Amino acid sequence: MSSFADRTFTSPERIRNFCIIAHIDHGKSTLADRMLQFTGVVDERNARAQYLDRMDIERERGITIKAQNVRLPWDVGGVEYVLHLIDTPGHVDFTYAVSRALEACEGAILLVDAAQGIEAQTLANLYLALEKNLTIIPVLNKIDLPAADPDRYAAELAHIIGCDPGDVLRVSAKTGSGVRELLNEAVRLVPAPVGDSDAPARAMIFDSVYDTYRGVVTYIRVMDGKITPRERIKMMSTGAVHELLEVGIVSPDPKPSVGLGVGEVGYLITGVKDVRQSKVGDTVTSQRHGATEALTGYREPRPMVYSGLYPVDGSDYPELREALDKLQLNDAALTYEPETSTALGFGFRCGFLGLLHLEITRDRLEREAGLDLISTAPNVVYRVVLDGTDAKGGDSELTVTNPSDWPPGKIAEVYEPVVKTTILAPSEFIGAIMELCQARRGVLGGMDYLSETRVELRYTMPLAEIIFDFFDALKSRTRGYASLDYEEAGEQAADLVKIDILLQGEPVDAFSAIRHRDSAYGYGTTMASKLRELIPRQQFEVPIQAAIGSRIIARENIRAIRKDVLAKCYGGDITRKRKLLEKQKEGKKRMKTIGRVEVPQEAFVAALSTDESGDKGKVKK
């Protein structure tokens, strides 16, 4: 394979850049495995399932978290072509990785399970590809399954894309049937990359990873000119200049080459250890006679869900900061800033694209950095407009990502983020879905029948109603057949309140939450009863209260541990017993006024842990 790696500056007419977009479990990674096998870049001895999924979490869960690129040789009619394949994630929480991969491609293979049909999240990625004017190759996979109905789903795909049902390719990635024909079609249909090989070098960074020994490894797609080793390059957004130590291709392992030309996809190594020097979406050019105009980058991802991440051991705080720095290089959609909590100490308020993103990030930090972490209950970003009289010359508007930031004074209006939700499901479940969406304050935006048996529902809903257990409830009401996708759609005014949890009249900031007034009572009673089980009994009675402002909406009591002070009184006058009981009563009263309730760490972990919502993220396929 070395000859293939060395033969660089391939003519752009013989290059085809494409990616695979598909839903989780529709056979994306299996198809990539077959392509690696048929093109000969992976021999039988080294082949393994999910070859391009490099992380343990990806292999355990059977999902792609990170887009991976690979260079494949393919011969059609005696002419050798170079195929650059990018295997993309399928889950809605990793859409940002898909949008980055699409920027580096001219075509996309739309892969759909022949037994299930197209899912909402795949539809969203298809629209992303169409927006970027990519050539779409519709493909039905798993045609070997007994439950497959290729004719029905080919007609559905043709209806969505606007092609002929006969144009939909049929393959089985598992057996390899139809995969060679698909590679030939990719060469025939995907346009060759266009660029000026004599112009100053311009390459777009679409991904980066951190290597402990070699520093930052940057993945690029060359748009104009050439990138060669040992030259000095400049990052156009930061102005940083580096010397290129190595330029190469991925086929399927990194291989150094003599450079990259127009349309080629590969990697750069500059030896830089600072993870902030290589920003995804940036343009790389030569330092001498470089380009003056940067390529249009990606739009910055906006976090949809916020959660606090705290180390269980406070001394691990610097390690957590370093681990987040490295992970952000790998995952540009992650945002974070330091915060403190009286209950949990020092930590970070992190922004995620969804619940599965939160769960995967926490899992990766724990594995890759060896940390033990607590994540607080997820919440969204609110815009709070203060009453004019209460602003007192200060800001009349606040952005709240944490319940502890909620202003104490009079509030004129609160705005919450809303999302456009697309639900695909069999038509028999329309009633159950509508009932669920209306209960979650959803507004119906439209409904379309994709075929006689499948319907697409569009709702506008508050994001806060989706991020907890909406997907779980949707799956259970539709027997697992529904699929969900959502995208941000601005904000709306809402009647939101902050719920405080009080222990002995003192608020505990870690348990506070922001909820709609209608669901505030439910949260208050649930949290109070949960804490009654988790906090150990004291020598005195402890009231647990949920309050909105000064109004108590729920209460539970932790009963006192009672010592039998009459055990030593055998016989004698009743006044002796009464005297001891009065003495005990005085002691309890004094203890209640000066005693403090210590909430154990385990109680915080159990009450704030997102494990329940995390499990819901796991089934979110």
Side-chain angles (χ1 to χ4, degrees):
M1 294 311 303
S2 60
S3 60
F4 176 62
D6 294 338
R7 205 183 307 151
T8 51
F9 304 129
T10 309
S11 165
E13 292 80 43
R14 292 198 283 123
I15 296 174
R16 300 291 183 270
N17 298 324
F18 63 92
C19 61
I20 305 174
I21 51 178
H23 194 64
I24 291 174
D25 227 20
H26 278 211
K28 189 169 53 272
S29 298
T30 311
L31 179 62
D33 290 345
R34 285 296 84 74
M35 288 179 171
L36 293 173
Q37 187 184 334
F38 288 163
T39 54
V41 295
V42 176
D43 56 32
E44 293 292 332
R45 188 180 55 182
N46 295 323
R48 63 168 194 266
Q50 287 177 260
Y51 192 93
L52 292 179
D53 290 345
R54 303 292 164 94
M55 284 189 275
D56 292 342
I57 304 173
E58 291 180 312
R59 307 184 71 77
E60 283 168 23
R61 291 171 179 249
I63 62 174
T64 302
I65 293 165
K66 211 173 141 24
Q68 298 286 356
N69 75 87
V70 64
R71 177 174 169 134
L72 311 168
W74 188 245
D75 195 292
V76 178
V79 179
E80 189 175 276
Y81 289 88
V82 170
L83 309 181
H84 286 131
L85 160 68
I86 302 181
D87 183 18
T88 63
H91 196 278
V92 62
D93 284 9
F94 304 110
T95 304
Y96 185 63
V98 179
S99 73
R100 287 176 3 209
L102 294 174
E103 289 282 355
C105 297
E106 278 80 33
I109 292 173
L110 176 67
L111 193 69
V112 173
D113 190 328
Q116 292 179 42
I118 196 162
E119 304 279 6
Q121 293 168 16
T122 317
L123 206 55
N125 288 338
L126 169 63
Y127 293 149
L128 273 177
L130 290 171
E131 273 174 34
K132 297 183 193 303
N133 295 320
L134 265 62
T135 301
I136 307 296
I137 304 174
V139 180
L140 284 175
N141 189 22
K142 305 189 183 182
I143 55 168
D144 56 314
L145 289 181
D149 191 350
D151 295 335
R152 174 181 157 196
Y153 292 121
E156 190 176 290
L157 273 177
H159 170 69
I160 292 166
I161 298 171
C163 65
D164 192 84
D167 295 338
V168 179
L169 298 176
R170 302 177 184 199
V171 305
S172 168
K174 187 177 178 183
T175 63
S177 165
V179 176
R180 293 179 193 277
E181 292 78 5
L182 171 57
L183 286 166
N184 291 338
E185 281 296 288
V187 169
R188 188 174 72 83
L189 295 174
V190 176
V194 177
D196 185 350
S197 56
D198 298 321
R202 286 198 306 173
M204 180 175 276
I205 300 175
F206 69 90
D207 203 0
S208 303
V209 293
Y210 185 83
D211 185 287
T212 314
Y213 303 104
R214 313 199 70 183
V216 177
V217 180
T218 305
Y219 293 99
I220 59 161
R221 149 80 197 261
V222 180
M223 299 296 185
D224 295 317
K226 298 181 182 69
I227 300 279
T228 52
R230 292 297 163 191
E231 70 172 320
R232 294 185 76 76
I233 56 160
K234 186 169 93 173
M235 306 290 180
M236 291 188 77
S237 75
T238 58
V241 175
H242 311 290
E243 185 184 353
L244 276 180
L245 302 180
E246 188 177 301
V247 177
I249 59 164
V250 183
S251 180
D253 299 309
K255 295 182 172 72
S257 70
V258 298
L260 297 172
V262 171
E264 291 194 278
V265 175
Y267 69 90
L268 313 173
I269 295 176
T270 57
V272 171
K273 296 282 186 181
D274 183 357
V275 293
R276 288 175 288 275
Q277 296 278 344
S278 185
K279 217 176 145 205
V280 167
D282 198 353
T283 303
V284 176
T285 188
S286 310
Q287 186 193 10
R288 292 179 64 225
H289 312 301
T292 52
E293 197 177 322
L295 296 161
T296 52
Y298 316 104
R299 60 185 177 85
E300 286 291 315
R302 275 185 57 192
M304 306 282 261
V305 176
Y306 281 85
S307 175
L309 284 181
Y310 294 86
V312 171
D313 181 352
S315 62
D316 286 340
Y317 177 76
E319 282 84 351
L320 176 58
R321 179 191 288 277
E322 195 179 323
L324 280 167
D325 265 349
K326 287 178 184 171
L327 191 59
Q328 193 180 38
L329 175 76
N330 202 265
D331 180 0
L334 173 69
T335 63
Y336 62 92
E337 58 184 38
E339 75 167 2
T340 54
S341 159
T342 50
L344 302 171
F346 290 101
F348 291 92
R349 167 106 337 213
C350 302
F352 305 93
L353 296 182
L355 277 193
L356 184 68
H357 188 204
L358 185 161
E359 189 198 346
I360 294 289
T361 301
R362 192 179 75 178
D363 213 344
R364 285 185 69 184
L365 287 169
E366 288 181 341
R367 286 178 190 226
E368 293 169 19
L371 298 165
D372 280 330
L373 300 174
I374 301 169
S375 55
T376 61
N379 59 283
V380 298
V381 192
Y382 301 102
R383 185 164 66 88
V384 180
V385 180
L386 298 175
D387 195 298
T389 57
D390 208 62
K392 290 179 184 162
D395 290 337
S396 59
E397 206 171 276
L398 284 174
T399 302
V400 176
T401 58
N402 193 344
S404 60
D405 299 336
W406 193 263
K410 287 183 183 173
I411 291 169
E413 274 183 317
V414 182
Y415 292 91
E416 64 176 348
V418 290
V419 289
K420 279 183 183 166
T421 309
T422 306
I423 298 168
L424 293 190
S427 49
E428 65 199 86
F429 299 115
I430 290 175
I433 293 168
M434 284 183 158
E435 187 188 337
L436 173 66
C437 292
Q438 279 158 9
R440 300 298 179 93
R441 303 188 282 135
V443 178
L444 182 63
M447 186 168 82
D448 284 324
Y449 279 86
L450 300 177
S451 63
E452 298 95 56
T453 54
R454 287 191 11 123
V455 68
E456 176 188 330
L457 292 152
R458 293 182 299 281
Y459 271 88
T460 302
M461 297 178 73
L463 178 60
E465 297 287 348
I466 283 184
I467 63 169
F468 286 100
D469 61 349
F470 179 79
F471 194 79
D472 200 42
L474 180 68
K475 279 288 188 188
S476 57
R477 287 185 188 218
T478 59
R479 299 208 299 273
Y481 283 109
S483 69
L484 169 78
D485 179 57
Y486 59 85
E487 62 179 52
E488 55 186 300
E491 58 182 20
Q492 68 181 18
D495 185 12
L496 300 170
V497 291
K498 179 189 176 189
I499 307 149
D500 283 311
I501 302 295
L502 313 176
L503 288 181
Q504 261 199 308
E506 291 290 318
V508 182
D509 70 330
F511 295 133
S512 299
I514 298 164
R515 291 282 187 280
H516 192 267
R517 198 178 291 276
D518 295 345
S519 59
Y521 175 75
Y523 175 82
T525 50
T526 306
M527 192 55 97
S529 57
K530 201 190 252 190
L531 289 174
R532 188 172 67 109
E533 303 295 323
L534 294 169
I535 296 174
R537 288 166 69 185
Q538 314 286 321
Q539 291 282 347
F540 50 92
E541 189 178 274
V542 178
I544 302 169
Q545 297 164 307
I548 299 172
S550 58
R551 188 165 68 89
I552 305 297
I553 57 169
R555 175 178 173 133
E556 292 280 355
N557 283 346
I558 300 173
R559 290 173 55 208
I561 299 172
R562 293 200 172 275
K563 182 182 173 187
D564 188 3
V565 293
L566 304 181
K568 58 188 177 185
C569 281
Y570 46 92
D573 189 39
I574 186 69
T575 53
R576 282 186 66 203
K577 294 183 180 179
R578 198 166 286 144
K579 187 179 171 185
L580 281 169
L581 287 169
E582 286 296 325
K583 194 176 175 185
Q584 185 190 39
K585 192 175 175 183
E586 284 297 317
K588 295 269 184 197
K589 192 174 177 183
R590 182 168 165 274
M591 204 183 289
K592 197 166 184 176
T593 58
I594 64 166
R596 280 182 56 79
V597 183
E598 289 298 325
V599 183
Q601 190 79 10
E602 300 78 56
F604 281 112
V605 176
L608 297 175
S609 165
T610 54
D611 285 347
E612 297 154 63
S613 45
D615 291 338
K616 286 152 194 166
K618 283 174 201 168
V619 297
K620 198 168 178 179
K621 290 191 173 181

